[in-house]
């Protein structure tokens, strides 16, 4: 009889430890501060693009991005989303032209991090349009695993060892939820280089006037995001949402 009791005690203790660890890393429970950084040190920005309106809003939000501060930009795009890929490249070309860079005509290699520049990374689509809800968990799992592999492989590359994204910026596509969950998993296990990294900002769509989107509700409910920005003042009265002037204004 002693063995089952010891097993139960072990399971209980491990569950309690995991629960406390999860609470410790959840931004909503234990808000973290960015690590002190020297002026001019490189910052890695990870942007998740969705198809159509999500991409247009995100790139509008980044229109005045300071490339001297955010020196490396990674765009995560769902497979088959050629529209977002083209828009990201066009956007980077505009940034390069504005900054007077002589690399405006360069195209990034897919899935390769380019020092002091930008890269595009494809992951499996979390859920296709009109996809059955029965098969959606499988495709979401594939996307989740791809996000973990990307974050770990990118961080361990020779040029960017232990350089996980400093900031993850999202605005609602289903893939963005899985990216943040992947980041939480890596932080949960305290992998080298994750401390103080992968802070997150969720920007709700201007089309959401009275309530958050499903992605926003999920991320707020589990406390997985550091800051939640909304574009309608009335929506900011709920929870810990912060009001952000609408992008198109």
């Amino acid at each position: 009889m002693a063995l089952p009791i010891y097993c139960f005690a072990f399971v209980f203790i491990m569950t309690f430890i995991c629960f406390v660890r999860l609470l410790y890393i959840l931004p909503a429970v234990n808000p973290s501060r960015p690590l002190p950084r020297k002026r001019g040190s490189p910052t890695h920005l990870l942007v998740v693009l969705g198809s159509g309106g999500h991409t247009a809003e995100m790139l509008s939000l980044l229109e005045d991005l300071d490339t001297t501060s955010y020196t490396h930009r990674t765009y995560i795009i769902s497979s088959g989303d050629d529209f977002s890929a083209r828009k990201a490249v066009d956007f980077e070309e505009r940034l390069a032209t504005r900054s007077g860079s002589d690399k405006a005509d360069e195209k990034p290699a897919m899935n390769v991090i380019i020092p002091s520049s930008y890269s595009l990374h494809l992951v499996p689509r979390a859920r296709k349009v009109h996809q059955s809800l029965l098969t959606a968990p499988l495709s979401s799992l594939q996307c989740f695993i791809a996000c973990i592999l990307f974050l770990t492989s990118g961080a361990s590359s020779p040029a960017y060892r232990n350089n996980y994204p400093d900031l993850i910026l999202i605005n609602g596509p289903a893939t963005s939820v899985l990216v943040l969950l992947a980041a939480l998993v890596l932080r949960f296990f305290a992998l080298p280089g994750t401390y103080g990294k992968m802070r997150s900002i969720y920007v709700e769509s201007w089309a959401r006037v009275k309530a958050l989107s499903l992605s926003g509700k999920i991320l707020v409910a589990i406390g997985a995001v550091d800051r939640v920005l909304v574009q309608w003042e009335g929506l900011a009265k709920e929870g810990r949402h912060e009001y952000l002037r609408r992008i198109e204004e």
Side-chain angles (χ1 to χ4, degrees):
M1 293 296 294
L3 184 60
I5 294 177
Y6 286 137
C7 291
F8 175 79
F10 176 77
V11 171
F12 176 80
I13 292 173
M14 293 304 299
T15 302
F16 178 75
I17 292 175
C18 290
F19 177 73
V20 172
R21 173 60 182 167
L22 182 61
L23 291 180
Y24 178 77
I25 66 170
L26 283 178
V29 179
N30 184 29
S32 61
R33 294 182 179 274
L35 292 175
R37 99 177 31 251
K38 297 180 180 179
R39 184 182 298 274
S41 59
T43 302
H44 185 179
L45 174 65
L46 176 64
V47 180
V48 182
L49 297 180
S51 56
H54 287 299
T55 292
E57 285 193 36
M58 178 61 74
L59 296 181
S60 295
L61 181 66
L62 297 174
E63 194 64 39
D64 296 324
L65 184 70
D66 182 5
T67 56
T68 61
S69 296
Y70 297 95
T71 52
H72 180 64
R73 301 162 300 280
T74 299
Y75 299 90
I76 287 187
I77 300 170
S78 298
S79 58
D81 188 5
D82 297 332
F83 172 82
S84 294
R86 290 195 304 269
K87 289 297 182 180
V89 172
D90 292 342
F91 172 74
E92 284 290 336
E93 290 179 344
R94 292 198 305 272
L95 288 182
T97 301
R98 187 186 68 190
S99 62
S101 172
D102 57 358
K103 298 183 179 181
D105 294 329
E106 290 187 3
K107 299 292 191 298
M110 298 301 291
N111 301 344
V112 174
I113 294 180
I114 303 174
S116 302
S117 185
Y118 73 106
S119 60
L120 308 181
H121 186 87
L122 297 179
V123 296
R125 188 178 291 271
R127 182 174 182 267
K128 298 179 181 179
V129 179
H130 304 308
Q131 180 181 347
S132 171
L133 293 178
L134 296 177
T135 59
L138 178 59
S139 59
S140 296
L141 178 61
Q142 292 175 333
C143 179
F144 175 71
I145 294 174
C147 291
I148 289 183
L149 293 177
F150 162 68
L151 290 173
T152 54
S153 63
S156 60
S157 66
Y160 285 92
R161 185 170 300 278
N162 291 337
N163 186 18
Y164 290 89
D166 295 289
L167 177 64
I168 301 176
L169 185 62
I170 60 176
N171 70 339
T175 303
S176 64
V177 177
L178 299 176
V179 170
L180 281 194
L181 290 179
L184 280 178
V185 168
L186 299 181
R187 291 173 57 190
F188 179 86
F189 290 103
L191 296 186
T194 58
Y195 180 74
K197 297 280 188 172
M198 294 184 288
R199 288 166 54 82
S200 56
I201 297 179
Y202 175 80
V203 182
E204 186 57 274
S205 170
W206 66 269
R208 308 300 301 193
V209 179
K210 297 182 178 180
L212 296 177
S213 63
L214 179 59
S215 295
K217 290 178 180 178
I218 293 175
L219 293 175
V220 170
I222 64 178
V225 63
D226 288 276
R227 296 180 64 186
V228 179
L229 307 182
V230 296
Q231 301 186 60
W232 291 93
E233 196 168 3
L235 191 55
K237 297 178 181 179
E238 301 183 13
R240 58 190 182 93
H241 312 159
E242 303 174 44
Y243 173 59
L244 171 72
R245 236 180 119 184
R246 290 196 299 279
I247 295 173
E248 74 274 11
E249 287 185 351

